[in-house]
Amino acid sequence: MADETYAGEFYCVKCREKREAEGDVVVSNGRRMAKAVCPVCGTKLNRILGKA
């Protein structure tokens, strides 16, 4: 399986704003998720992606 990345909008819960970030795509519990780090505050960001 190739390492997949996702670049787009994530919602930062700490900043309460949408942020542009780039992160890795992981499959957890049968769902695809993008995981990244907020460029402003450093909080971990998650985004649930659609099915492949």
Side-chain angles (χ1 to χ4, degrees), residues 29-50:
N29 217 8
R31 292 183 183 252
R32 291 175 65 234
M33 285 181 116
K35 295 193 174 206
V37 176
C38 179
V40 177
C41 68
T43 302
K44 291 180 183 177
L45 303 173
N46 291 310
R47 179 176 178 137
I48 297 174
L49 304 173

Side-chain angles (χ1 to χ4, degrees), residues 2-39:
D3 290 327
E4 196 178 349
T5 59
Y6 174 83
E9 277 192 338
F10 292 83
Y11 181 77
C12 180
V13 179
K14 195 170 182 181
C15 296
R16 294 187 178 164
E17 287 186 30
K18 288 186 179 180
R19 301 282 186 207
E20 288 289 327
E22 187 171 338
D24 296 327
V25 175
V26 295
V27 177
S28 171
N29 217 8
R31 292 183 183 252
R32 291 175 65 234
M33 285 181 116
K35 295 193 174 206
V37 176
C38 179

